[in-house]
Amino acid sequence: MMPAQAGAAGGPRTPGTATRGETVPTVPPAPKNAEAVDVTALLERGRTLATPVLRAAVDRLAPPMDTVAAYHFGWIDAQGRPAEGDGGKAVRPALAVLSAEVMSAAPETGVPGAVAVELIHNFSLLHDDLMDGDEQRRHRDTVWKVHGPAQAILVGDALFALANEVLLELGTVEAGRATRRLTTATRALIDGQAQDISYEHRDRVSVEECLEMEGNKTGALLACASSIGAVLGGADDRTADTLEKYGYHLGLAFQAVDDLLGIWGDPVSTGKQTWSDLRQRKKSLPVVAALAAGGSASERLGEILAADAKSSGAESFSEEEFAARAALIEEAGGREWTADEARRQHTIAIEALDAVDMPDRVREQFTALADFVVVRKR
């Protein structure tokens, strides 16, 4: 299995002063011989196949946890009425279903893995929202805000248990192997959240530490999603490990883009507050890279953030003060460095696919999903 650390060819680059960067990075054009892939259809296929099984799993929960979970997934509103909320990008289910086809298995083979990964992902969201104090997710109030902290904790725990249940009830050797990979990824995810919280209370975090944290928090579960369908389809460990490498570096690219959106993203698209990561004092990649870059903007940013740590809370800052911090991060090169890092991790992910024998169509779809991850607005 992929180690829960930030592995990357050549290691992370040293940040330096740079000009203004774009909100989300662009990726190299697809090879001329590659057929166009409808990424929207690919994401929708994963969502369509996984959602009925996901709903059936959630229905097993005891009241009121079933209702609280249904609200979190966007199936009902705060009053319990049917809703068609934004269920997220569905990248993980798409990857899990697609990975089954690496083994020439039917896409449905990967569905239990897709559901298990989605349950773990949402377990983490429920807990993270509470720990981070996030009041909005997917353009709606978060679960802890509507139903209280206790329900957010309980439902998160329940989803964690359901994820393992969905896999183990298959009763196959492959299901046991898939569950082991899922639990390893979950432990790494929890490690990453612990690192993320601890970094908020430190004046400085290195780029290497930040990449390790993001590899745990985001890379590990995307790595699992990219291999779990193949494992359920009978893939050997070498094939699964290589697919995990793709997913791990894709996760680092995904998180780098998330970090850009967490500062410069449009709230209408992201569903979060303006300057959301700055409000939470997150040591995200743009911030860490800017602090490591040196120069006057970097030094000024360091002074301001050190003073912030001694203040009563970010909620007392004005919009202008958040904008000033974002401008210093950009001036120091943190924004462009992070966009470059997203592109670099994207390249490593795509190159990992070369070591796996799979149908050309499946390879092109993996590539298209990777392109989608690093060129998005939410």
Side-chain angles (χ1 to χ4, degrees), residues 308-329:
D308 289 352
K310 300 175 183 178
S311 68
S312 59
E315 66 278 359
S316 63
F317 300 154
S318 68
E319 293 298 299
E320 291 75 16
E321 288 174 303
F322 285 122
R325 286 158 177 73
L328 283 172
I329 294 168

Side-chain angles (χ1 to χ4, degrees), residues 103 177 181 227 230-231 233-243 356:
M103 303 305 297
R177 292 173 58 222
R181 286 180 180 268
S227 67
V231 172
D236 59 22
D237 285 341
R238 187 197 69 81
T239 299
D241 288 347
T242 306
L243 289 171
V356 181

